[in-house]
Amino acid sequence: MRTETVTLAPFEAHHLDGALALSRAAGWAHRREDWKLIWSISEGRVALAGDRVVGTALMTPFGDTCSAINMIIVDESQRGRGLGRQLTTAVIDLAGDRECRLTATSDGLPLYEKLGFVATHQIVRHQGVVGRVGAPENVEWIGADAMPAIKALDRAAFGADRDALHDALAKEGPFAVVRNGDNIVAFAATRPFGMGEVVGPVVAENAEQARDLIAFILSGKEGRFVRIDVPEQSCLSSWLEGWGLVHEGGVIAMVRGATGESQTPQVRTFVLASQALG
């Protein structure tokens, strides 16, 4: 039996439709618009069998210090040939000296461990049709003039510069904030995603602020399908389930080349922008 020749190439705009077909075959919820958002702030590689996309991987840089390795898919017909390792290694090389973060399924865990990634915690996916949620009075929608404060809070929580991500998110949906006097101390974003909408990231000083931000956003989404990805230590799961967003699996957060710096930020990430982006 003749083996099909597969080559790696830079991930360009005309590969998006092929990438979408791969993710649909894998059961992912992503629309073309969701792929395009991540691709627009990333570098990547595709595996090509002729003109057909049979594998993808992206590296999203966050400043000069950190990156997310994401959107790694291999066509079922090409699995077991080391293609996933080739794609992942290729985008790790694109990251250069940056710390690399990713989320892994249990199936992908052995490969990533061999490539030097270390598991750090679980990410829990909550999704479903939103029930009736009351809107807290301490949260408000904000305009573009608040983006510098939001970006600063995210840098403090995430530990790296994700300004390009927040510029992209601002084009997709609104941000809500909690203030202490005139100062913005917590924020949340929402946007269309997959078969419905997603909430995230949510950055706050404590779980109560995070809960209020999420409740404020969900109060306008009764009857809609919403997804929220939270770190297991967020202490939000019981609230989310009470609002109609049931626990439906999750992934493992991993890191490679961590700096090891010990910091205790004043704010932290309670909800991810997405599993791909952290």
Side-chain angles (χ1 to χ4, degrees), residues 32-51:
R32 191 180 193 279
E33 295 89 341
D34 303 320
W35 267 99
K36 187 176 180 180
L37 185 152
I38 300 174
W39 171 80
S40 71
I41 57 172
S42 305
E43 299 179 61
R45 293 291 181 265
V46 290
L48 299 173
D51 293 331

Side-chain angles (χ1 to χ4, degrees), residues 7-268:
T7 59
L8 298 192
F11 193 142
E12 299 178 349
H14 64 273
H15 295 127
L16 285 169
D17 289 334
L20 177 63
L22 275 185
S23 63
R24 284 178 173 168
W28 291 17
H30 295 67
R31 307 166 302 154
R32 191 180 193 279
E33 295 89 341
D34 303 320
W35 267 99
K36 187 176 180 180
L37 185 152
I38 300 174
W39 171 80
S40 71
I41 57 172
S42 305
E43 299 179 61
R45 293 291 181 265
V46 290
L48 299 173
D51 293 331
R52 183 168 64 96
V53 176
V54 296
T56 62
L58 292 175
M59 184 283 297
T60 309
F62 300 133
D64 297 327
T65 62
C66 187
S67 67
I69 305 299
N70 52 52
M71 310 307 279
I72 299 171
I73 312 178
V74 174
D75 186 273
E76 189 173 5
S77 67
Q78 301 292 331
R79 292 173 190 169
R81 303 179 184 180
L83 188 54
R85 186 186 187 104
Q86 291 178 50
L87 284 162
T88 306
T89 300
V91 291
I92 289 173
D93 289 344
L94 291 177
D97 294 331
R98 295 178 179 89
E99 173 183 306
C100 295
R101 304 183 191 183
L102 59 73
T103 56
T105 62
S106 56
D107 289 341
L109 190 65
L111 168 61
Y112 300 132
E113 287 178 334
K114 290 175 183 176
L115 292 175
F117 286 88
V118 177
T120 57
H121 59 277
Q122 295 278 338
I123 302 296
V124 180
R125 183 176 76 249
H126 285 268
Q127 61 185 26
V129 177
V130 178
R132 181 166 294 182
V133 182
E137 296 181 356
N138 62 326
V139 183
E140 62 185 279
W141 297 114
I142 53 87
D145 59 329
M147 288 307 297
I150 285 171
K151 291 175 178 178
L153 284 173
D154 188 77
R155 283 194 296 273
F158 191 82
D161 179 347
R162 297 202 297 177
D163 288 6
L165 168 61
H166 286 285
D167 288 337
L169 294 179
K171 297 175 183 177
E172 299 292 317
F175 284 76
V177 300
V178 173
R179 296 182 188 268
N180 182 358
D182 293 332
N183 297 321
I184 293 173
V185 295
F187 77 87
T190 184
R191 67 188 188 279
F193 175 83
M195 66 179 71
E197 300 172 63
V198 65
V199 176
V202 176
V203 170
E205 297 172 314
N206 52 60
E208 288 73 23
Q209 288 177 348
R211 176 200 61 194
D212 287 347
L213 285 159
I214 297 168
F216 178 82
I217 291 174
L218 294 184
S219 67
K221 300 186 186 296
E222 184 177 352
R224 301 184 196 176
F225 187 88
V226 173
R227 172 172 170 167
I228 299 181
D229 291 284
V230 300
E232 61 180 344
Q233 65 270 30
S234 69
C235 301
L236 296 175
S237 285
S238 61
W239 284 319
L240 294 173
E241 289 178 348
W243 292 329
L245 307 183
V246 298
H247 176 191
E248 292 198 358
V251 291
I252 304 159
M254 306 188 78
V255 64
R256 180 182 188 271
T259 62
E261 295 178 2
S262 178
Q263 296 181 345
T264 305
Q266 296 298 310
V267 292
R268 62 190 178 99

